[in-house]
Every structure is written in C-alpha cells, then in structure tokens.
Amino acid sequence: MKRSEINSAIEYVIGKLDNFKLPLPPFAYYTPNQWKNLNETEKELVDNMLGWDVTDFGTGDFMKVGLTVFVFRNGNFYNKKEYPKSYCEKLLYVRDGQSLPYHFHWGKTEDIINRGGGDLEITIWQSDECEGFTNKDAIVTLDGKKVTVQAGGKVILKPGQSITLVPYQYHMWQGVPGTGDVMLFEVSTTNDDNVDNRFYKPQDRIPIVEEDAETKYLMFADYKNYVKF
C-alpha cells in the first residue's frame, strides 16, 4: 500500500469517529516524532501492538478489500508475566461495501460487534483437518443465542448485534453496500496478528508500504523503525 493511502485511511476514520461520538486515547494521535521520543513508561504500546493498522491484504484495492484497525488494548502471550491481560479490544472500521477475505484463527476466539452505522454480512465455513472448507454446519453464538449456520451460509449483523467466532471457523465479511460504513468492535482473547491468521487463499495481512508521502500516523508495523528504547 502507498503511505499516502494509509494516511488518508486513518484520517478518514478519525473524522468519522466524531460522528459516532467515539473518542480515542491520546496515543491514537501521536506524531512520528512523539513515537521516536517514547520512553519505557509506554513500552506496552509497542510490545502489544497497540494503535493503528491499515491493510488491503495485498490486493492493491483497499476500497474493495481492506480494513482499518485501531487496537485499544491487548495482552501478550509471549510475556504473560509482564502483560497478564487475557483479552484484546479493537476497532475494525469497514467502509460501505468493503470486504474482508476468508480466514480463520488457530488460537483466537472473538466477538465481532456492530457498534453502529451500516449492516455487516458475514459468510461462514467450518474448516476441516486439512484447513479447507467442509460441508459441516457451523455453530456460532449470536448475542448469547446458539445458531446453526449451514456451510457457506450468511449472517447479517445490524447495529447492536454481535457474533462469537471460535478457532477454525472460516469467515469473510462485507459491509452491505448502500447501508453505510460499519463501526465494528472486536473483543477477543490475546492475539498476535502476525501469526494467527490462516487465509483460505494466500494474503498479505501486514502490508508492504510504498513510501510515497510523509508518514502522519504510525501503524504498529512501523514501530520498529521509530521507537528506540
């Protein structure tokens, strides 16, 4: 992805969150210079990958297939002694009509919550032992209610609704075109997006960035190039 595109995506979401009356913590607005001067009192931001993430999953078409993420909090299963949190909270901002590719998580259980905006359509397949699609029904939880979803079946999440997805359940989603942007939240077990995404077709979860513009906001993948403690 181009840095200019990443800057634009983050600025767009910051602007839209004012409409949703969702304030962000101070580190959401840190400049690259502030990250360079970060000290060890804020080491958790870096160690646990808190902050922004933007991806087009290697498609080159962010508006069609993409996601803008802000991680509020996360534990660290590599260092549970220092970071004992067993949970994670993320904003997942989906543009009108934007989709997410088929994937599952080997370790993460997650609640996907539509906090406002448009409708989200989720398609679900149960994985087999070879990590392919099966014809088995999937059992999911919709706001505390067990629901059986036929293989390849769809669930619509309207604002206020949520779904619980467990490991090895393939899912893809799309913001239902014409209903508006969707402000999703994810509440999940501690996770690491570098290692816990199994895409049905090979996809790049963390983008390779073309530096065509000055960096305005860092993504967590940028921290290693800025933070020096």
Side-chain angles (χ1 to χ4, degrees):
M1 292 186 70
K2 292 183 177 180
R3 180 65 67 177
S4 58
E5 190 176 19
I6 293 166
N7 290 339
S8 177
I10 293 173
E11 288 179 336
Y12 177 88
V13 171
I14 288 174
K16 288 295 182 179
L17 292 182
D18 287 340
N19 299 335
F20 286 108
K21 305 287 193 250
L22 177 69
L24 295 172
F27 68 90
Y29 309 100
Y30 281 2
T31 65
N33 193 54
Q34 285 175 290
W35 284 103
K36 284 181 179 178
N37 290 295
L38 208 68
N39 64 50
E40 291 201 8
T41 62
E42 294 184 282
K43 188 169 177 284
E44 182 172 348
L45 301 179
V46 176
D47 288 351
N48 296 357
M49 301 185 295
L50 308 189
W52 292 106
D53 182 28
V54 180
T55 182
D56 64 0
F57 300 97
T59 65
D61 192 350
F62 170 76
M63 291 302 297
K64 183 177 180 181
V65 182
L67 190 64
T68 305
V69 179
F70 185 82
V71 183
F72 290 89
R73 65 202 89 254
N74 194 11
N76 189 315
F77 47 65
Y78 305 110
N79 189 353
K80 292 182 180 180
K81 183 177 180 179
E82 185 170 1
Y83 304 115
K85 290 176 184 174
S86 58
Y87 52 86
C88 176
E89 180 190 22
K90 300 177 183 179
L91 164 71
L92 310 173
Y93 197 92
V94 181
R95 303 281 194 99
D96 191 330
Q98 197 175 42
S99 64
L100 177 83
Y102 279 113
H103 69 291
F104 70 65
H105 309 288
W106 289 284
K108 179 171 70 172
T109 295
E110 58 187 345
D111 280 10
I112 302 298
I113 309 156
N114 186 340
R115 291 293 192 196
D119 298 340
L120 188 78
E121 180 184 77
I122 305 177
T123 307
I124 301 169
W125 293 86
Q126 192 66 46
S127 169
D128 61 18
E129 61 276 5
C130 297
E131 302 184 348
F133 290 169
T134 72
N135 292 321
K136 294 181 179 179
D137 294 341
I139 306 297
V140 300
T141 303
L142 297 176
D143 297 307
K145 180 180 179 180
K146 293 288 185 183
V147 174
T148 299
V149 180
Q150 291 184 339
K154 301 179 187 298
V155 172
I156 300 290
L157 291 187
K158 292 186 173 294
Q161 295 184 310
S162 68
I163 186 171
T164 302
L165 298 168
V166 299
Y168 293 88
Q169 285 182 336
Y170 275 110
H171 51 284
M172 69 85 68
W173 66 53
Q174 182 181 31
V176 176
T179 65
D181 294 355
V182 187
M183 184 176 68
L184 298 180
F185 266 62
E186 174 189 312
V187 177
S188 70
T189 49
T190 295
N191 63 89
D192 181 347
D193 270 328
N194 290 297
V195 298
D196 194 23
N197 291 285
R198 200 297 186 188
F199 290 98
Y200 185 68
K201 295 180 180 179
Q203 310 272 172
D204 292 327
R205 171 62 184 83
I206 309 300
I208 297 172
V209 179
E210 178 185 338
E211 302 292 352
D212 70 323
E214 181 180 350
T215 301
K216 294 184 178 180
Y217 302 93
L218 297 194
M219 301 184 295
F220 69 70
D222 296 316
Y223 295 166
K224 62 183 180 297
N225 298 322
Y226 286 81
V227 181
K228 301 304 179 186
F229 54 71

